[in-house]
């Protein structure tokens, strides 16, 4: 008995399979260039010495030193660290410098440790430098991936200088963080004076003068970069808007997503809400598939803002990861959170404003229904690949 195929049903299936194949082929291996790389730098300065802890994800280590992975399993192992300690030290010392004025300081690397943050492995390098004195200008320079135009590498700095905390973000071409030490405090917290009997005490000065890299704008730009490199968040947003809806519905969707992810972003950074990273990332991928399938099979889209709000709560936990690892002091957290979130919203609203006129034009075309359907199948395919990777790889 001959078997007949329904062309209307088989075409979408072929389209999905081809999309999955093309995307799978284009996905780089674990050791090749990845879209987002973050390091964390913690600097502690006092009157005795300066300690610097530089923490870089192991995937970046394997990119920068491919020969270190002798067994080609794309995992940085303790034995490989021990065997290649000299090469790792050279890599760190060449990539990072801490200068007093224009004079580079020589570090002493005391140890290297593998640490796990969320579901990602990092290598922490502990270094000590000489102490700095009042009047010294300190320049911290990060040269990793500096000449790689395609990188989204970011270095997140938290520093404690004589008891005072400050933060900085290095990204793009801005790779120097500068502070001016203006006052050294004794261990008891009193201002050091040459001779308290002959010299009248002066009002305590701020311990550091900060460069613009520690200002609110650095966190604003970090939020912008985070959403621009969060391809899953962007694809979710596209899936939400792809079906034809009224302007009121679009406004409700964008507003609910903004409110939802802002809530959980704040709660997660404050440490009040914590979920396993693997679960969060898998649900984000599932949300993409769900909304795209709605675009295909639902005859009428109603109350999409409600499902957007629910999924937006999970997306907010994904946004929070990078700030959680900085361990920002609570006194500085509000400013960092607000400006990080504003950076996300600036990009999100810009994308929406650019997409809506294009979608409005698309919906006027004769074959707009097919474009939406096939586009949604492609989104389902991408979301399914991410879901599989996040659950099983």
């Amino acid at each position: 008995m001959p078997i007949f195929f329904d062309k209307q049903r088989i075409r979408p299936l072929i389209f999905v399979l081809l999309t999955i194949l093309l995307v799978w082929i284009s996905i780089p291996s674990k050791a090749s260039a990845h879209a987002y790389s973050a390091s964390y730098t913690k600097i502690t300065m006092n009157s005795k010495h300066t300690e610097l802890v530089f923490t870089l994800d192991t995937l970046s280590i394997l990119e920068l030193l491919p020969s270190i992975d002798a067994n080609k399993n794309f995992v940085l192992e303790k034995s490989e660290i021990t065997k290649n300690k000299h090469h790792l030290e050279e890599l760190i010392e060449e990539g990072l410098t801490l200068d007093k004025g224009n004079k580079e300081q020589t570090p002493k690397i005391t140890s290297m440790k593998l640490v796990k943050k969320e579901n990602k492995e990092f290598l922490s390098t502990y270094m000590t430098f000489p102490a700095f004195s009042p009047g010294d200008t300190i320049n911290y320079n990060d040269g990793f991936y500096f000449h790689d135009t395609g990188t989204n590498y970011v270095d997140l700095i938290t520093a404690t200088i004589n008891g005072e905390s400050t933060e900085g973000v290095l990204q793009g071409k801005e790779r120097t963080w500068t502070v001016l030490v203006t006052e050294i405090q004794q261990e008891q917290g009193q201002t050091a004076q040459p001779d308290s009997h002959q010299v009248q005490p002066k009002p305590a000065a701020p311990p550091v003068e900060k460069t613009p890299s520690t200002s609110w704008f650095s966190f604003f730009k970090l939020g912008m970069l985070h959403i621009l490199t969060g391809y899953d968040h962007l694809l979710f947003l596209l899936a939400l808007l792809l079906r034809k809806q009224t302007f009121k519905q679009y406004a409700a969707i964008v507003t609910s997503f903004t409110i939802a992810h802002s809530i959980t972003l704040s709660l997660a950074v404050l440490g009040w809400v914590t979920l396993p990273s693997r679960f969060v990332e898998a649900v984000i991928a599932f949300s993409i598939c769900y909304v795209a399938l709605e675009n295909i099979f639902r005859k009428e889209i109603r109350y999409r803002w409600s499902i957007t709000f629910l999924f937006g709560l999970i997306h907010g936990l994904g946004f929070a990861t990078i700030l959680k690892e900085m361990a920002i002091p609570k006194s500085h957290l509000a400013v960092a959170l607000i400006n990080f979130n504003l950076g996300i919203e600036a990009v999100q609203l810009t994308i929406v404003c650019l997409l809506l006129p294009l979608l409005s034009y698309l919906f006027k075309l004769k074959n707009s229904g097919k474009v939406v359907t096939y586009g949604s199948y492609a989104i389902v395919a991408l979301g399914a690949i991410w879901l599989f990777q996040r659950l099983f790889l």
Side-chain angles (χ1 to χ4, degrees):
M1 182 176 179
I3 299 174
F4 297 97
F5 294 98
D6 186 344
K7 291 182 179 180
Q8 297 300 319
R9 293 187 178 182
I10 202 68
R11 284 176 181 173
L13 179 59
I14 294 173
F15 183 81
V16 170
L17 292 174
L18 287 175
T19 302
I20 291 175
L21 180 62
L22 289 172
V23 172
W24 194 273
I25 292 172
S26 65
I27 292 175
S29 66
K30 292 183 179 180
S32 59
H34 53 296
Y36 195 79
S37 176
S39 64
Y40 301 88
T41 299
K42 183 179 180 181
I43 302 173
T44 306
M45 298 182 186
N46 56 40
S47 58
K48 297 179 180 179
H49 69 280
T50 298
E51 182 184 69
L52 190 151
V53 183
F54 179 71
T55 303
L56 181 64
D57 62 286
T58 55
L59 182 55
S60 293
I61 298 288
L62 295 175
E63 285 178 4
L64 297 165
L65 283 177
S67 60
I68 197 173
D69 188 20
N71 56 9
K72 304 300 178 183
N73 66 345
F74 308 123
V75 176
L76 184 60
E77 299 171 355
K78 289 183 179 179
S79 59
E80 293 171 335
I81 295 172
T82 303
K83 185 177 180 180
N84 296 276
K85 185 179 178 182
H86 177 67
H87 296 297
L88 286 167
E89 289 178 349
E90 283 185 340
L91 175 71
I92 299 299
E93 290 176 357
E94 288 176 5
L96 305 176
T97 61
L98 191 67
D99 303 342
K100 182 168 71 173
N102 295 320
K103 186 176 180 182
E104 183 176 335
Q105 302 298 291
T106 302
K108 179 183 178 182
I109 296 178
T110 56
S111 63
M112 290 182 174
K113 297 178 183 178
L114 284 172
V115 296
K116 198 159 190 176
K117 295 177 182 287
E118 298 291 340
N119 63 338
K120 203 173 182 182
E121 281 202 333
F122 290 77
L123 179 68
S124 289
T125 303
Y126 293 76
M127 295 173 274
T128 58
F129 293 84
F132 292 88
S133 305
D136 288 343
T137 299
I138 304 164
N139 296 303
Y140 170 70
N141 305 287
D142 184 328
F144 284 101
Y145 295 106
F146 185 76
H147 297 292
D148 185 353
T149 56
T151 186
N152 293 309
Y153 173 77
V154 59
D155 187 347
L156 306 167
I157 307 167
T158 53
T160 303
I161 304 174
N162 305 311
E164 292 288 330
S165 298
T166 184
E167 298 81 38
V169 180
L170 301 181
Q171 54 189 310
K173 295 297 180 182
E174 296 180 7
R175 294 301 191 87
T176 300
W177 179 81
T178 303
V179 291
L180 173 63
V181 180
T182 58
E183 190 77 20
I184 294 289
Q185 303 290 325
Q186 292 179 339
E187 295 301 321
Q188 296 83 1
Q190 300 295 322
T191 304
Q193 298 291 344
D195 188 341
S196 60
H197 296 288
Q198 298 179 8
V199 181
Q200 294 295 323
K202 297 179 181 179
V208 294
E209 292 181 5
K210 306 169 189 177
T211 61
S213 64
T214 62
S215 68
W216 67 269
F217 191 56
S218 61
F219 285 96
F220 181 82
K221 289 192 296 182
L222 181 62
M224 294 176 65
L225 176 68
H226 202 52
I227 184 69
L228 285 171
T229 55
Y231 305 123
D232 46 2
H233 302 294
L234 295 177
L235 197 62
F236 177 69
L237 185 61
L238 174 61
L240 288 171
L241 303 177
L242 191 55
R243 269 291 292 269
K244 186 177 181 180
Q245 296 160 83
T246 65
F247 180 80
K248 186 177 180 180
Q249 287 175 309
Y250 282 136
I253 287 170
V254 174
T255 302
S256 62
F257 186 57
T258 297
I259 293 172
H261 76 63
S262 298
I263 291 171
T264 45
L265 168 61
S266 302
L267 293 177
V269 174
L270 289 169
W272 296 350
V273 174
T274 302
L275 288 176
S277 177
R278 182 178 288 271
F279 171 79
V280 170
E281 295 301 319
V283 174
I284 289 173
F286 173 76
S287 72
I288 296 168
C289 297
Y290 180 88
V291 173
L293 288 171
E294 268 198 344
N295 290 343
I296 299 167
F297 296 108
R298 275 195 182 274
K299 293 183 178 180
E300 190 174 355
I301 298 295
R302 283 186 176 183
Y303 308 114
R304 176 162 272 186
W305 66 267
S306 58
I307 193 69
T308 302
F309 184 85
L310 292 175
F311 283 134
L313 293 173
I314 300 297
H315 281 254
L317 297 176
F319 288 140
T321 303
I322 196 166
L323 282 186
K324 282 170 63 179
E325 299 299 341
M326 284 188 74
I328 301 170
K330 290 185 177 180
S331 58
H332 298 184
L333 198 53
V335 173
L337 261 175
I338 290 170
N339 291 294
F340 181 77
N341 208 32
L342 286 174
I344 292 174
E345 294 313 311
V347 172
Q348 182 175 290
L349 290 175
T350 300
I351 290 171
V352 170
C353 291
L354 291 173
L355 274 178
L356 288 184
L358 293 173
L359 290 172
S360 179
Y361 173 77
L362 169 66
F363 297 143
K364 293 177 182 178
L365 299 178
K366 184 179 179 180
N367 294 322
S368 62
K370 289 184 178 180
V371 174
V372 171
T373 299
Y374 283 102
S376 296
Y377 273 119
I379 293 172
V380 171
L382 283 167
I385 290 172
W386 285 331
L387 181 60
F388 178 82
Q389 289 178 324
R390 294 169 186 186
L391 285 175
F392 303 110
L393 298 184

